[in-house]
């Protein structure tokens, strides 16, 4: 075995240098190999080289010590599938309508996975193994992008001398490990595979996020984060050791980054720096130092976003970047100028309809919440299955949280502004402080301009996607100004959360003559339903005139919760019994946010829905959401039949 191993090593060394030798004979620079080490659900705050002295991440720390560590790298989304869609295509989900988690909407035929262009240029491409590309052409995209995409894929299957682009995605720091799966699964998936000297104890003195209570049971839960990331680091150590053992380190550029923020409540799935900001390290061998604007052992605040990553890989490989790709390269022979701003989007997750938009200049993160009737800790099955979220809900109900901790359990404000450099856990909202008004106005303006310029597809409710699916894919639908007058829609959406001063205009916009404008007017009234007393009669009259179902539901939700309106209650009951899954989801969203007694009065309709659709394949997504509806309305806990 030893003799065979040595022969294999010699063969690999010869193969790794063959391309360089051939290129040198032709007087050309050999094309670089490119390796992506990607991992799940991790914020920089939990990595050693980003300042956490108790984090056990020696592999990433060494990579950063001799590479480039980015402090202002951001995902375009806060959950995996929209983020990974952006990574593979170089296109933002807002323009393609792919922001809702695992939604599988069609995209234009001209959009391809960027590794296809590497393959066309002679690269060997491998993916090990996660895809999660979140569009209807996902299988086609996988087939055209990768020579192999599997749990056994790697650079070692290429032809002799062939340059490679290899992706390895570690699952160990996924939310399933850091919070969702039961503790005994976590032990089997993480602790049993982690070297003993890498383990972080449940009572270790790590820095607890300020939005959590610092209790033994919460510390026990947070230790999962540290150990899951350490196991990821341990896996990367083995991959990099193989790269060096096979003589490929000196010809390989390495990217190491997570797919979005930390897999904990108020991290992943939240439109904050903790949802978007990612640890990102680039290591460049001496041969290719000229392709990097930075040296070695450098920390940079250069602003980068996920749409730039594919463009950068193509630039490093000397492959032309297709015009449709939205990103620009930050490395290569001709890197683009640094961006002034990058943008983030938080959309639907696990049937919970969410819409928030963010912009950052690297230091300040501005977020506009359009669905501000929901708290940061939203009702979602994958989150509410976890012990940590159950502890938080119990503590909130018991009144033992301090003001900052309790705030994340209550409906959100419309605007947030955080200093990412000075406020590690994003606890101090600067949006209302006069001394930050200029920054607030500047970032708010940039966000609004970006939404209009991109014609952000997600201000159209999913009901609208389905309504026009026989004529338009979301990318096309957003360009139809008669259906989607984006400036008027945005103006109406921006009234959400603006309180009493906006109500009169919202009432008038119910009859604006456009379904989507009316939807946002109704949703805004639902947000401000506690202030609707002067408008009760007028809104009751307008309810009967509403024909666009999402608008009708939210107006009914407002009238029922504020006044106990019987006609409104009946509309919500009908919404639960509708065969339309999008109508069901909107209705359930309302039940999760109105007064508990009033929501419980609709339990007969909820149970009738389960009787009608509980086993229907068409309603699987809705029934998954039903877990948290029954949890809130009946106090009924649930468990999953299997765990990833």
């Amino acid at each position: 075995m030893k003799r065979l191993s040595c022969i294999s090593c010699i063969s690999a060394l010869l193969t790794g240098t063959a391309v360089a030798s051939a290129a040198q004979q032709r007087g050309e620079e050999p094309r670089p190999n490119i390796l992506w080490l990607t991992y799940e659900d991790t914020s920089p705050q939990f990595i050693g080289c980003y300042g956490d002295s108790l984090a056990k991440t020696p592999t990433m720390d060494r990579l950063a010590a001799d590479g480039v560590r980015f402090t202002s790298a951001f995902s375009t989304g806060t959950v995996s599938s929209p983020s990974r869609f952006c990574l593979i295509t170089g296109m933002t989900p807002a323009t393609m309508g792919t922001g809702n988690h695992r939604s599988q909407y069609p995209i234009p035929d001209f959009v391809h996975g960027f590794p296809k262009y590497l393959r066309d240029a002679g690269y060997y491409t491998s993916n090990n193994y996660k895809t999660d590309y979140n569009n209807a052409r996902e299988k086609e995209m996988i087939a055209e992008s990768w020579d192999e995409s599997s749990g056994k894929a790697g650079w070692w299957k290429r032809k002799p001398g062939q340059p490679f682009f290899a992706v390895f995605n570690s699952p160990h720091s996924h939310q399933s490990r850091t919070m969702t799966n039961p503790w005994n699964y976590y032990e089997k998936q993480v602790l049993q595979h982690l070297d003993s000297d890498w383990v972080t104890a449940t009572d270790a003195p790590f820095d607890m996020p300020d939005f959590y209570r610092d209790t033994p049971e919460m510390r026990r839960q947070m230790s999962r984060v540290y150990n899951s990331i350490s196991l990821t680091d341990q896996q990367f150590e083995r991959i990099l050791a193989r790269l060096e053992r096979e003589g490929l380190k000196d010809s390989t550029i390495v990217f190491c980054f997570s797919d979005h923020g930390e897999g904990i409540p108020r991290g992943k799935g939240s439109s904050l720096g903790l949802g978007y900001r990612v640890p990102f390290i680039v290591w460049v061998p001496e041969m290719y130092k000229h392709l990097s604007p930075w040296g070695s052992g450098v920390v940079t605040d250069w602003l980068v976003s996920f749409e730039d990553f594919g463009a950068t890989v193509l630039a490093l490989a000397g492959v032309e970047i297709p015009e449709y790709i939205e990103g620009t390269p930050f490395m290569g022979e001709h890197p683009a100028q640094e961006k002034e701003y990058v943008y983030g989007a938080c959309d639907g997750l696990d049937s919970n309809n969410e819409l928030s938009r963010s912009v950052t200049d690297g230091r300040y993160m501005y977020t506009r919440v359009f669905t501000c009737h929901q708290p940061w800790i939203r009702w979602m099955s994958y989150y509410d299955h976890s012990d940590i979220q159950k502890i938080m809900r119990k503590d909130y109900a018991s009144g033992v949280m301090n003001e900052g901790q309790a705030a994340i359990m209550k409906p959100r404000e419309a605007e947030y502004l955080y200093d990412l450099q000075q406020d590690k856990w994003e606890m101090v909202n600067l949006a209302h402080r006069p001394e930050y008004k200029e920054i607030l106005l500047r970032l708010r303006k940039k966000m609004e301009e970006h939404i209009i310029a991109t014609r952000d597809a997600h201000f159209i409710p999913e009901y609208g996607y389905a309504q026009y699916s026989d004529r338009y894919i979301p990318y096309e639908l957003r360009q139809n100004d008669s259906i989607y007058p984006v400036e008027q829609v945005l103006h109406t959406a921006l009234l959400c959360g603006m309180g009493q001063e906006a109500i009169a205009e919202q009432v008038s916009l119910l009859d604006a003559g456009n379904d989507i404008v009316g939807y946002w007017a109704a949703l805004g009234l639902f947000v401000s339903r506690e202030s609707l007393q002067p408008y009760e009669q007028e809104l009751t009259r307008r309810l009967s005139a509403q024909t666009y179902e999402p608008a009708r539901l939210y107006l009914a939700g407002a009238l029922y919760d504020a006044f106990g309106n019987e006609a409104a209650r009946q509309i919500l009951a009908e919404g639960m019994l509708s065969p339309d899954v999008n109508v069901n989801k909107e209705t359930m969203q309302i039940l999760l946010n109105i007064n508990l007694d009033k929501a419980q009065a609709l339990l007969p309709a909820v149970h009738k829905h389960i009787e009608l659709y509980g086993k229907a394949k068409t309603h699987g997504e809705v029934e998954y959401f039903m877990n948290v509806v029954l949890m809130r309305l009946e106090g009924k806990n649930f468990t999953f039949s299997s765990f990833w």
Side-chain angles (χ1 to χ4, degrees):
M1 291 296 292
K2 288 183 179 179
R3 183 169 180 270
L4 285 172
S5 178
C6 289
I7 291 172
S8 297
C9 288
I10 293 168
S11 174
L13 285 167
L14 292 173
T15 299
T17 58
V19 64
S21 299
Q24 287 166 358
Q25 289 173 8
R26 296 192 301 269
E28 301 173 358
E29 178 183 83
R31 292 181 291 176
N33 303 313
I34 302 167
L35 171 64
W36 276 13
L37 301 176
T38 69
Y39 50 114
E40 306 266 1
D41 306 6
T42 301
S43 293
Q45 286 92 324
F46 301 95
I47 305 293
C49 59
Y50 280 90
D52 192 323
S53 60
L54 293 182
K56 298 174 182 178
T57 52
T59 308
M60 297 185 209
D61 297 348
R62 284 193 298 270
L63 206 62
D66 195 31
V68 182
R69 177 167 65 84
F70 289 76
T71 60
S72 297
F74 295 88
S75 169
T76 44
T78 66
V79 291
S80 60
S81 66
S83 299
R84 291 173 184 274
F85 171 83
C86 184
L87 283 169
I88 194 68
T89 63
M91 302 292 288
T92 57
T95 58
M96 292 286 138
T98 55
N100 294 314
H101 187 43
R102 307 224 167 105
S103 49
Q104 301 295 304
Y105 286 111
I107 60 173
D109 291 339
F110 64 76
V111 177
H112 300 279
F114 79 86
K116 171 189 183 300
Y117 304 109
L118 294 171
R119 290 184 75 187
D120 292 346
Y123 269 74
Y124 180 82
T125 63
S126 63
N127 179 57
N128 188 330
Y129 57 95
K130 188 171 182 176
T131 51
D132 212 7
Y133 297 150
N134 204 39
N135 70 86
R137 288 175 39 223
E138 183 164 341
K139 289 183 179 179
E140 176 188 330
M141 190 169 282
I142 294 169
E144 69 179 11
S145 294
W146 307 109
D147 286 291
E148 182 177 353
S149 180
S150 75
K152 297 180 179 180
W155 67 74
W156 45 84
K157 297 185 181 182
R158 73 196 191 287
K159 296 175 183 177
Q162 187 178 13
F164 67 79
F165 172 56
V167 176
F168 291 86
N169 184 80
S170 174
H172 300 308
S173 58
H174 186 262
Q175 180 184 0
S176 55
R177 278 69 164 167
T178 61
M179 67 173 274
T180 297
N181 289 358
W183 188 269
N184 63 314
Y185 273 82
Y186 156 70
E187 289 181 322
K188 294 175 184 177
Q189 293 173 318
V190 176
L191 290 182
Q192 290 182 12
H193 301 279
L194 193 59
D195 294 345
S196 58
D197 56 345
W198 289 44
V199 173
T200 296
T202 57
D203 60 352
F206 47 75
D207 188 14
M208 280 288 284
D210 293 337
F211 47 84
Y212 293 160
R213 293 186 71 222
D214 193 349
T215 64
E217 59 182 351
M218 287 296 286
R219 281 196 167 273
R220 182 173 188 259
Q221 295 302 321
M222 281 301 296
S223 71
R224 295 173 63 148
V225 170
Y226 284 88
N227 288 319
S228 299
I229 296 171
S230 291
L231 185 57
T232 298
D233 194 87
Q234 191 173 290
Q235 179 183 356
F236 288 167
E237 181 182 48
R238 292 194 297 269
I239 296 170
L240 290 171
R242 178 168 185 172
L243 187 78
E244 186 164 12
R245 193 167 62 244
E246 296 184 2
L248 296 168
K249 182 179 178 181
D250 291 342
S251 59
T252 303
I253 297 171
V254 180
F255 284 25
C256 181
F257 61 96
S258 72
D259 60 349
H260 50 73
E262 192 57 53
I264 55 174
R266 199 182 178 258
K268 176 180 180 178
S270 299
S271 50
L272 299 162
L274 281 162
Y276 298 116
R277 187 165 162 255
V278 299
F280 176 39
I281 301 164
V282 175
W283 184 88
V284 183
E286 192 63 38
M287 186 188 305
Y288 299 112
K289 293 287 188 190
H290 64 285
L291 297 177
S292 170
W294 311 278
S296 300
V298 173
V299 178
T300 179
D301 60 1
W302 194 280
L303 201 54
V304 297
S305 183
F306 273 7
E307 69 265 27
D308 302 324
F309 282 39
T312 300
V313 169
L314 293 177
L316 289 169
V319 175
E320 185 177 355
I321 301 169
E323 288 187 7
Y324 70 81
I325 285 182
E326 294 177 44
T328 55
F330 49 84
M331 297 173 68
E333 294 284 0
H334 305 287
Q337 289 186 334
E338 183 182 6
K339 295 179 174 181
E340 291 186 77
Y341 305 96
V342 298
Y343 301 88
C346 186
D347 296 301
L349 172 61
D350 288 353
S351 299
N352 180 292
N353 296 333
E354 163 69 0
L355 201 147
S356 300
R357 292 296 179 263
S358 305
V359 58
T360 181
D361 58 8
R363 176 164 184 176
Y364 296 99
M365 170 74 74
Y366 168 81
T367 291
R368 180 51 158 95
V369 180
F370 294 93
T371 48
C372 40
H373 55 286
Q374 298 198 89
W376 290 114
I377 306 304
R378 310 195 302 278
W379 288 97
M380 293 182 288
S381 294
Y382 201 67
Y383 288 70
D384 278 292
H385 181 274
S386 69
D387 289 338
I388 189 171
Q389 193 140 307
K390 289 175 183 175
I391 292 168
M392 293 171 69
R393 291 203 185 280
K394 179 182 176 182
D395 286 350
Y396 177 63
S398 301
V400 295
M401 289 179 163
N402 65 31
E403 184 179 354
Q405 294 156 2
I408 70 174
M409 312 297 291
K410 300 174 182 178
R412 289 167 292 177
E413 297 183 55
E415 292 185 299
Y416 292 88
L417 179 68
Y418 290 113
D419 184 338
L420 300 183
Q421 289 183 13
Q422 300 298 320
D423 188 1
K424 178 180 179 180
W425 301 119
E426 295 169 88
M427 296 295 291
V428 181
N429 184 9
L430 306 173
H432 306 299
R433 296 197 176 184
E435 62 268 35
Y436 292 92
K437 184 175 181 180
E438 183 180 341
I439 296 169
L440 176 77
L441 294 177
R442 171 170 57 87
L443 293 176
R444 180 197 288 165
K445 183 172 184 287
K446 288 294 178 182
M447 181 213 68
E448 293 175 10
E449 289 174 348
H450 183 72
I451 290 170
I452 292 170
T454 58
R455 298 188 65 89
D456 190 322
H458 287 287
F459 285 80
I460 305 170
E462 284 195 276
Y463 181 92
Y465 284 10
Q467 180 184 13
Y468 294 102
S469 61
D470 60 336
R471 283 172 279 173
Y472 304 106
I473 64 174
Y475 173 78
E476 298 165 338
L477 181 60
R478 77 187 228 291
Q479 298 178 70
N480 188 312
D481 206 55
S482 62
I483 296 172
Y484 180 47
V486 64
E487 293 190 31
Q488 188 182 11
V489 169
L490 177 59
H491 171 78
T492 310
L494 285 168
L495 297 175
C496 289
M498 291 294 101
Q500 289 183 339
E501 63 188 48
I503 291 175
E505 185 176 2
Q506 288 169 320
V507 172
S508 68
L509 286 168
L510 287 171
D511 297 329
N514 179 272
D515 288 342
I516 301 171
V517 171
Y519 164 77
W520 280 106
L523 181 54
L525 290 167
F526 180 75
V527 169
S528 298
R529 58 194 181 278
E530 293 181 1
S531 302
L532 296 181
Q533 187 68 40
Y535 301 91
E536 180 182 2
Q537 290 186 350
E538 183 174 1
L539 290 175
T540 300
R541 177 179 59 80
R542 287 178 184 260
L543 178 63
S544 61
Q546 291 299 313
T547 58
Y548 189 60
E549 195 62 19
R552 183 169 174 259
L553 286 168
Y554 276 106
L555 185 55
L559 286 168
Y560 177 55
D561 199 30
F563 310 114
N565 184 290
E566 177 57 27
R569 188 200 67 79
Q570 184 59 36
I571 287 170
L572 295 176
E574 292 168 359
M576 278 307 311
L577 301 179
S578 171
D580 188 319
V581 295
N582 288 306
V583 172
N584 299 155
K585 288 193 295 183
E586 297 284 15
T587 307
M588 294 160 79
Q589 187 91 5
I590 292 165
L591 296 186
L592 288 169
N593 287 282
I594 62 175
N595 172 275
L596 181 58
D597 290 339
K598 288 190 170 73
Q600 288 172 329
L602 285 157
L603 272 169
V606 170
H607 284 289
K608 184 63 176 178
H609 169 96
I610 295 170
E611 180 185 329
L612 291 172
Y613 306 116
K615 296 182 180 180
K617 291 182 179 179
T618 53
H619 284 64
E621 180 185 5
V622 176
E623 303 321 305
Y624 184 69
F625 198 27
M626 186 64 75
N627 288 324
V628 288
V629 173
L630 295 178
M631 174 181 271
R632 181 178 189 242
L633 272 56
E634 296 184 331
K636 184 178 180 181
N637 278 321
F638 62 93
T639 188
F640 298 141
S641 58
S642 61
F643 299 94
W644 178 73

